[in-house]
Amino acid sequence: MPTTHPRPASNLRRLHELVSKIQPDYPVGRICHVTAKTVDISGLAAHAAIGDRIKFLTAQKPCLFGEVIRLSNTHITALYDSPEAGLKLGGRILLLPPARLAPDHAWLGRVIDPLGQPLDGKAILPGLYDTALDRPAPPAAQRRGFGERLETGACIFNTALPIVRGQRLGLFAGSGVGKSKLIAHLAQHLQADIIVVALIGERGREVGEFVNTTLGPTALARSVVVAATSDMSPLLRQKTAQSAMSIAEYFRDQGLQVAYFADSITRFAEAYREVALSAGELPALRGYPASLAHSLMALCERAGPGCAGMGDITALFSVLVPGSDMEDPVADILRGVLDGHVVLSRAIAERGRFPAIDLLRSVSRALPLAASPEENHALRVMRAILGAYETQETLIKAGLYEAGSDPLIEDAIKVWPALDRFIGAHEAGMIQDSFEQLFEILRQTQSNTLL
């Protein structure tokens, strides 16, 4: 059965609940060894568990925290937040419970860190019910299938790359090809009740720019933004995606439709690698630990359709692919887990068409069920024409193609500019309007009836 939560409680009730959870005493240990990123602590081996938080009792401001990553019979090892200045042997350490979140409807329109602390300069109170950051996915046999097709405000997503309720898509792109702008467009236009955005390892300047300019006040009003900038600890960068997913699950459990955006999951993987290597796990492919695959799959499985009485989490995970290498371990793992992938091309971005989607390398596994037979036929014709143009593009641009050689290529030459503009069209209106535009373009071809 889904967990249900009430609508926002009064601030007084939430404050009373917060005070009632204060723990009167905590175990205390002593620092016995310090390295570049970890600290060994004596006196807590009998009390600590993996994932517990620690607080350094020093005069340093702001306070320094960390997390337990390894246990032994005599001491524990914790990874701490930067900077490490002020640590000394014999320093006292307070053992705290694992980090948890207590989301609330009052968090809408707010920017917070992965531990639920405000980043927008305003006070914030937790909700009445807290939850773990790393929750299990709903039972597989009890989950619904995909829901209805969603309006996106972009022609290409309304047609050839449909997004349906509960779908999980990957957005694969190099740096500087319009990834964040595309995420913001979908956050503004995607048909959903609640938007949850995880900004993982972004530059500090870009967080404010994304929230105030790219996302905008209208979309922010129905959104919760969870951010950890590139200078923050790998512990916090890793938790950003998990905290945002916990917030999305809070709203999903109340029957709401949630859109979840993670930008980027590659930085989540890099932070996970730092933590895992500090904990003693051996590096594997390209330095990533073997446990990364499970961690990525567990995160992605938390999104998707809910059980009876729940809403759905429709998710978009952006993936930075260095040098457009789709065989990168993170990209390779996610392609096999998600319900579709969208590839952004640097070559397309450099000629000025945005979104720079390479349709021939992209796919939505919501098809063919998300479209009618007539719409599926039009999409097959569209891909055939684009594929024919791509194979002969060099000859066509060099003027070496012999007219009349192939009817499909003739059609491609005739309508390729219109299809290219169609793929980059924004503010497309309703899904049916987008398909009408596509039908109008394809009516100019012979292939529309031949294929």
Side-chain angles (χ1 to χ4, degrees), residues 5-301:
H5 300 280
R7 290 291 176 176
S10 68
N11 287 343
L12 182 61
R13 185 182 175 193
R14 282 187 286 163
L15 185 59
H16 179 272
E17 187 72 18
L18 183 63
V19 171
S20 69
K21 293 178 180 178
I22 294 177
Q23 187 173 328
D25 52 41
Y26 298 92
V28 177
R30 297 277 183 176
I31 297 175
C32 59
H33 184 252
V34 179
T35 67
K37 283 295 178 184
T38 63
V39 58
D40 291 343
I41 305 162
S42 62
L44 294 177
H47 305 278
I50 296 294
D52 283 351
R53 297 277 290 167
I54 61 168
K55 180 180 180 180
F56 294 79
L57 299 178
T58 67
Q60 182 177 345
K61 299 295 181 182
C63 294
L64 186 63
F65 291 87
E67 184 174 303
V68 177
I69 59 173
R70 192 166 58 224
L71 304 174
S72 75
N73 290 331
T74 58
H75 65 275
I76 65 172
T77 301
L79 184 66
Y80 55 84
D81 300 341
S82 297
E84 61 274 9
L87 300 186
K88 60 183 180 180
L89 295 179
R92 293 186 302 160
I93 302 292
L94 208 64
L95 185 66
L96 306 175
R100 296 177 68 86
L101 276 184
D104 190 81
H105 276 73
W107 288 17
L108 293 174
R110 303 300 304 276
V111 184
I112 62 173
D113 73 7
L115 302 179
Q117 300 303 308
L119 295 177
D120 51 12
K122 297 177 287 187
I124 191 169
L125 282 176
L128 292 177
Y129 303 94
D130 60 13
T131 182
L133 303 188
D134 194 12
R135 291 175 56 182
Q142 298 177 30
R143 303 185 79 164
R144 298 187 302 272
F146 285 154
E148 64 182 29
R149 189 165 58 181
L150 300 175
E151 300 282 354
T152 65
C155 283
I156 190 61
F157 289 105
N158 280 354
T159 55
L161 298 173
I163 301 176
V164 299
R165 281 185 176 174
Q167 187 174 2
R168 301 165 306 173
L169 277 173
L171 179 60
F172 298 81
S175 57
V177 295
K179 168 177 52 65
S180 296
K181 289 288 181 67
L182 180 55
I183 290 174
H185 173 86
L186 291 173
Q188 291 167 349
H189 295 89
L190 190 65
Q191 187 181 344
D193 300 316
I194 303 292
I195 305 293
V196 180
V197 182
L199 298 178
I200 309 165
E202 291 285 351
R203 293 181 285 271
R205 172 189 59 80
E206 290 185 334
V207 172
E209 182 179 323
F210 179 89
V211 171
N212 298 317
T213 305
T214 309
L215 191 60
T218 302
L220 181 61
R222 59 170 182 154
S223 303
V224 181
V225 178
V226 185
T229 53
S230 57
D231 61 328
M232 289 186 176
S233 157
L235 287 170
L236 293 178
R237 283 184 276 126
Q238 176 188 334
K239 281 178 167 44
T240 304
Q242 298 170 329
S243 297
M245 189 65 76
S246 293
I247 295 170
E249 289 167 334
Y250 165 82
F251 290 108
R252 178 207 63 193
D253 290 350
Q254 299 177 59
L256 297 172
Q257 294 299 325
V258 184
Y260 171 95
F261 299 93
D263 185 21
S264 77
I265 211 68
T266 303
R267 296 194 184 104
F268 165 84
E270 291 169 350
Y272 182 90
R273 175 173 58 190
E274 289 186 57
V275 175
L277 296 182
S278 297
E281 191 171 347
L282 295 177
L285 185 61
R286 299 196 188 180
Y288 289 106
S291 62
L292 174 66
H294 171 75
S295 180
L296 288 174
M297 290 186 283
L299 177 67
C300 293
E301 279 298 320

